[in-house]
Amino acid sequence: MSSEAITDGWVEQAEAALAAAGRKRGGARRALLELLAAQECALTAVEIEDALRARSARPVSRASVYRILDELEALALVQRVETGQAMVRYERVCEHEQHHHHLVCDECGLVMPFSDPGLERAIDSLSTRVPLTVSEHEIVLHGACRDCAA
Amino acid sequence: MSSEAITDGWVEQAEAALAAAGRKRGGARRALLELLAAQECALTAVEIEDALRARSARPVSRASVYRILDELEALALVQRVETGQAMVRYERVCEHEQHHHHLVCDECGLVMPFSDPGLERAIDSLSTRVPLTVSEHEIVLHGACRDCAA
DNA sequence: CTTAATGCAAACCGTTTGCATTTCA
DNA sequence: TGAAATGCAAACGGTTTGCATTAAG
């Protein structure tokens, strides 16, 4: 399916990284990995929990969702996205995939990904001139989406 | 003092905007405005509350701090800054002042302002090509500050 | 006087933790 | 069998709300 093509073995990459870190396998985590692999953009913990319950996929408790996301974040397999919407969002990080950022509609809460080479260049150059060893950056543009602006 | 020179009458501008919106004046809000006017970078609600209590300035209750910040944000006099540190930060918005963004040290929590014309240009141009009527943007670079990276 | 401003304490809600149980290697 | 994984429910902590009181216009 298309989602597998897009993620290009991200689930396997994640499992390998976890194994290398001495972790055992588990069904809850596997289900969560597969869900994230199929997403185009960031989800909240609750959205993840609901999706796993709804999809007849293995239900995973809220606590496990957070714990698993934390582990994945520590291994840089997942990234937090702060959209200013009270809850944190999470999405997979895939090396072979183009880095993207987010557009947030402050009216309806819609979150969309976007990417822009010029912006990446500006950030990369900036990163070398700043009193911080930059590990990550996150750009969020706020505004009104097409439907809401209409 | 330098803080007044920097803020260039922001307190008065804010009071005027509030009056125009039909609001009455109040001591708590005034104290909060003066505190924000004197800051160089974003503060959390708790930091604001503590600063007002400590400085022998008028103490302001936590609830009022949040309510006042919400009002000021609605009038675009104050801006939220999401640093991914669990609590939101707030800082004044001053038209006559150069727009800045933030560096966050993920080790010690230090938050520093920075600005970069190239980045602003990239964002402005980007804003016209994206399916969102952009009202605001926020850039946060995460990493390790000089002390923590050492 | 009429409405906004404020304080206090309780409610909220996303997230984290403690503990008992199950599963993997 | 020993360590990691998971679920459940309680605890946490930042933020918001309800309600009574005070103060501005």
Side-chain angles (χ1 to χ4, degrees):
Chain A
M1 318 156 204
S2 64
S3 65
E4 290 183 9
I6 291 171
T7 61
D8 191 27
W10 178 77
V11 173
E12 289 66 33
Q13 176 190 330
E15 296 267 56
L18 287 158
R23 302 308 189 44
K24 296 176 180 172
R25 279 185 281 176
R29 190 167 63 202
R30 176 78 193 197
L32 203 155
L33 286 173
E34 288 176 350
L35 178 69
L36 287 183
Q39 304 305 311
E40 314 187 1
C41 202
L43 296 181
T44 66
V46 175
E47 286 169 351
I48 290 170
E49 187 190 8
D50 291 348
L52 290 174
R53 197 176 309 287
R55 294 189 163 207
S56 75
R58 184 187 197 295
V60 176
S61 73
R62 180 81 45 99
S64 294
V65 170
Y66 281 109
R67 272 190 296 238
I68 292 169
L69 288 170
D70 277 353
E71 296 168 358
L72 297 178
E73 192 195 2
L75 294 170
L77 293 164
V78 150
Q79 183 173 18
R80 278 171 190 253
V81 180
E82 311 271 344
T83 59
Q85 294 172 310
M87 15 37 149
V88 178
R89 289 175 175 274
Y90 300 84
E91 65 185 6
R92 73 174 179 282
V93 173
C94 190
E95 297 175 357
H96 310 302
E97 204 175 5
Q98 166 171 241
H99 186 157
H100 73 252
H101 296 294
H102 299 87
L103 306 174
V104 177
C105 175
D106 293 328
E107 312 279 321
C108 69
L110 180 67
V111 179
M112 291 173 282
F114 78 91
S115 56
D116 182 81
L119 181 60
E120 293 304 320
R121 255 180 272 121
I123 300 235
D124 289 345
S125 112
L126 174 60
S127 295
T128 65
R129 302 194 310 272
V130 116
L132 192 84
T133 304
V134 176
S135 58
E136 270 182 42
H137 60 267
E138 180 181 325
I139 283 77
V140 180
L141 302 188
H142 288 269
C145 69
R146 286 191 166 146
D147 287 350
C148 291
Chain B
M1 318 161 203
S2 64
S3 63
E4 291 181 8
I6 292 170
T7 61
D8 192 27
W10 178 76
V11 173
E12 290 67 33
Q13 176 192 330
E15 297 267 56
L18 288 159
R23 301 309 188 45
K24 297 176 181 176
R25 280 184 282 175
R29 191 167 63 201
R30 176 80 194 197
L32 201 155
L33 286 173
E34 288 176 351
L35 177 71
L36 287 182
Q39 303 306 311
E40 314 187 1
C41 201
L43 296 181
T44 66
V46 176
E47 286 169 351
I48 290 170
E49 186 190 11
D50 291 348
L52 291 174
R53 198 176 308 288
R55 295 189 163 208
S56 75
R58 185 186 196 297
V60 175
S61 73
R62 179 82 44 99
S64 294
V65 170
Y66 281 109
R67 272 189 296 236
I68 292 169
L69 289 170
D70 277 353
E71 296 168 358
L72 297 178
E73 193 194 3
L75 294 170
L77 293 164
V78 150
Q79 183 175 15
R80 278 171 190 254
V81 179
E82 311 271 343
T83 60
Q85 293 173 310
M87 17 34 150
V88 179
R89 289 176 177 274
Y90 300 84
E91 65 186 6
R92 71 173 180 282
V93 173
C94 190
E95 298 175 356
H96 310 302
E97 202 174 9
Q98 167 172 240
H99 186 157
H100 73 253
H101 295 294
H102 300 88
L103 306 173
V104 177
C105 176
D106 293 328
E107 311 280 321
C108 69
L110 180 67
V111 178
M112 291 172 282
F114 78 90
S115 56
D116 183 80
L119 181 61
E120 294 304 320
R121 254 179 274 120
I123 299 236
D124 289 345
S125 112
L126 174 61
S127 295
T128 66
R129 301 194 310 271
V130 117
L132 191 85
T133 303
V134 176
S135 58
E136 270 181 44
H137 59 268
E138 179 182 328
I139 283 77
V140 180
L141 302 188
H142 287 268
C145 70
R146 287 192 167 145
D147 287 352
C148 291

